[in-house]
Amino acid sequence: MMSAEPIDTIVIGGGLHGLSAALHLARAGRRVVVLERSWVGRHASGASAAGVRTLNRHPAEIPISLEAMDMWSNIEAIVGDHCGFHANGQILVAEHPRHVPVLEQRLASTQAAGYRHEELIDRAELLRLVPAISPHCTAALVARQDGAADPHRTLQAFRRSAEAAGVVINEGFGVTAVERCGSDWRVSTGQRDFVAPTIVNAAGAWAGRIAAMIGDDIPLGHKASMMIVTERVAPLLKPVTSVVGRPLSFKQSDQGTLVIGGGLQGRADIDRQKSFVNFAELAKAARAATDLFPSVGTVRIVRTWTGMEAKTDDYLPIVGASPVASGVFHAFGFSGHGFQLVPVVGAILADLIVHGATTRSIERLSADRFLRRRAAE
Ligand SMILES: Cc1cc2nc3c(=O)[nH]c(=O)nc-3n(C[C@H](O)[C@H](O)[C@H](O)COP(=O)(O)OP(=O)(O)OC[C@H]3O[C@@H](n4cnc5c(N)ncnc54)[C@H](O)[C@@H]3O)c2cc1C
């Protein structure tokens, strides 16, 4: 059975990137349908630590990340809710003097490129910003405008705004085939087929499979990043804290729980859409947390989880038009740090689809970089 209403764009994947693209397109007047295999936020977007970080970004991402940060500062005007975003800063700590040159070199390179969002601070300022941190810590790099949001609140806000703008979200609609249909694309699901001239591929860990359906053979790895959440404790810290040379991202939620990650990897079973915690590995994050914050040593862990997403060879996402198939636009491979980019990537996709071009800097994010490299092999 085919969809009755005409559609301009089919968005495959109801994570935050699919919702953001759908929202921006609908506000630009496009008729948009989202097809989500499970339910909105089922995978990476619902599992995210939701750090909103410009700090220590890859140089190729800095321009769009800074624009995304402006959008986060204004997120209530964009999606009608504050999304639990607090700009309490993100901090990269040097535990020992031998780690300080890492921070100095990073600062020198971003400043040489003309950026001023990162700042090197000494122990005194670090202790002022994070009084609970162990006094053995020496210095830190800080991005004061950074922070963290609430992933579920963010999902609800993007969903509500997209639907208010006219987006139709179909949950339980897994895409099984994508084929040419004249100058349009026919997208098949178990229930119905959908036809439209443009497609956004925002299928997260499975986006490589959607890309292959339209002829883009993009090599992708997968991540199964792990998280810990503890029982509630009294107010302990405001900035999100990470540390040079160890796997740690440490923050306190609005509810008082400590949310601990740092990119440690569990196991992803992409075919079964399941991922599994590796407790021995995850213990490294718990160890780093108690070394940096000795007072949390007796706090109880309440839950652990993993979330899957696609990873590229250079850890940069793929954002832009398909190099081989006209009318198909990719947004995937965020490699563990796509939450912060959500508002801007949706705007970029709308630029590309509605205007055929964008002034935002995405040259280094093209799928071409992998197809070319393959051709050269
Ligand atoms: C544990 C964890 C912590 C993280 N922490 C941070 C952080 O602190 N800061 C940060 O910036 N980023 C972070 N990230 C990364 C960030 O969450 C992701 O980059 C972002 O959520 C990706 O969103 P997405 O919409 O691309 O993918 P997803 O949310 O995974 O959405 C893709 C959707 O596509 C659907 N789909 C797949 N195949 C099909 C199909 N065939 N048909 C229909 N639908 C399909 C899936 O069901 C899924 O819902 C973290 C990720 C994880 C897992």
Side-chain angles (χ1 to χ4, degrees):
M1 200 173 71
M2 199 104 96
S3 55
E5 299 296 320
I7 304 167
D8 296 314
T9 302
I10 299 165
V11 175
I12 304 174
L16 278 167
H17 281 288
L19 294 177
S20 178
L23 169 65
H24 284 92
L25 283 163
R27 285 192 178 156
R30 298 296 163 117
R31 292 161 298 190
V32 185
V33 164
V34 174
L35 302 178
E36 164 54 46
R37 181 175 54 205
S38 305
W39 58 87
V40 162
R42 164 68 183 88
H43 286 291
S45 301
S48 186
V52 179
R53 173 180 64 81
T54 60
L55 183 69
N56 212 21
R57 284 255 168 198
H58 188 292
E61 281 183 339
I62 292 176
I64 60 168
S65 180
L66 289 175
E67 185 181 350
M69 192 51 72
D70 288 342
M71 295 169 95
W72 276 105
S73 309
N74 205 22
I75 199 71
E76 191 153 5
I78 299 172
V79 292
D81 189 272
H82 57 66
C83 296
F85 173 60
H86 298 295
N88 288 326
Q90 291 236 1
I91 291 186
L92 176 61
V93 172
E95 269 188 278
H96 306 292
R98 68 176 185 280
H99 295 144
V100 176
V102 175
L103 304 184
E104 289 172 339
Q105 279 156 23
R106 165 70 190 182
L107 187 69
S109 71
T110 46
Q111 295 209 333
Y115 299 115
R116 296 286 177 272
H117 59 289
E118 294 171 351
E119 186 189 328
L120 191 59
I121 57 172
D122 61 12
R123 177 188 279 122
E125 176 64 358
L126 173 59
L127 284 168
R128 193 189 69 76
L129 290 177
V130 191
I133 205 161
S134 170
H136 80 272
C137 296
T138 306
L141 204 59
V142 58
R144 293 184 194 263
Q145 81 283 15
D146 286 4
D150 175 331
H152 304 290
R153 201 163 172 146
T154 305
L155 275 160
Q156 286 312 315
F158 272 85
R159 178 187 194 141
R160 266 197 313 270
S161 318
E163 287 179 327
V167 174
V168 177
I169 298 176
N170 292 295
E171 292 169 292
F173 281 64
V175 172
T176 52
V178 182
E179 294 153 327
R180 270 285 179 210
C181 170
S183 59
D184 289 340
W185 291 98
R186 179 195 304 275
V187 176
S188 306
T189 70
Q191 288 91 327
R192 275 163 54 189
D193 290 357
F194 297 79
V195 173
T198 53
I199 294 175
V200 171
N201 173 14
W206 299 268
R209 294 182 181 181
I210 301 292
M213 290 177 192
I214 58 101
D216 276 348
D217 180 12
I218 300 171
L220 279 182
H222 292 100
K223 296 193 80 172
S225 301
M226 299 187 288
M227 299 293 305
I228 292 172
V229 67
T230 72
E231 62 186 326
R232 296 174 189 210
V233 297
L236 183 77
L237 85 164
K238 290 197 163 193
V240 181
T241 302
S242 56
V243 58
V244 175
R246 297 177 75 174
L248 181 68
S249 154
F250 186 90
K251 64 169 175 274
Q252 188 164 28
S253 71
D254 282 353
Q255 295 76 30
T257 58
L258 302 173
V259 183
I260 304 169
L264 284 166
Q265 295 300 297
R267 183 169 66 82
D269 184 336
I270 294 297
D271 289 332
R272 288 169 59 214
Q273 300 162 40
K274 287 198 159 132
S275 53
F276 304 90
V277 172
N278 175 338
F279 287 97
E281 189 67 7
L282 192 53
K284 293 178 187 166
R287 162 66 59 199
T290 52
D291 285 352
L292 258 75
F293 296 91
S295 66
V296 307
T298 55
V299 174
R300 283 175 298 187
I301 291 172
V302 169
R303 193 164 70 89
T304 61
W305 72 91
T306 52
M308 286 179 280
E309 73 171 320
K311 173 184 79 174
T312 61
D313 279 357
D314 56 12
Y315 287 84
L316 288 172
I318 291 168
V319 176
S322 157
V324 302
S326 65
V328 179
F329 299 83
H330 297 306
F332 60 87
F334 290 95
S335 306
H337 47 264
F339 183 88
Q340 191 261 351
L341 299 173
V342 161
V344 74
V345 169
I348 289 168
L349 291 167
D351 279 351
L352 295 174
I353 293 170
V354 176
H355 306 297
T358 184
T359 53
R360 277 114 170 180
S361 166
I362 55 163
E363 303 74 28
R364 301 260 318 262
L365 310 185
S366 158
D368 257 345
R369 70 192 192 273
F370 295 117
L371 300 182
R372 265 204 299 270
R373 201 180 300 163
R374 280 215 148 176
E377 275 168 9

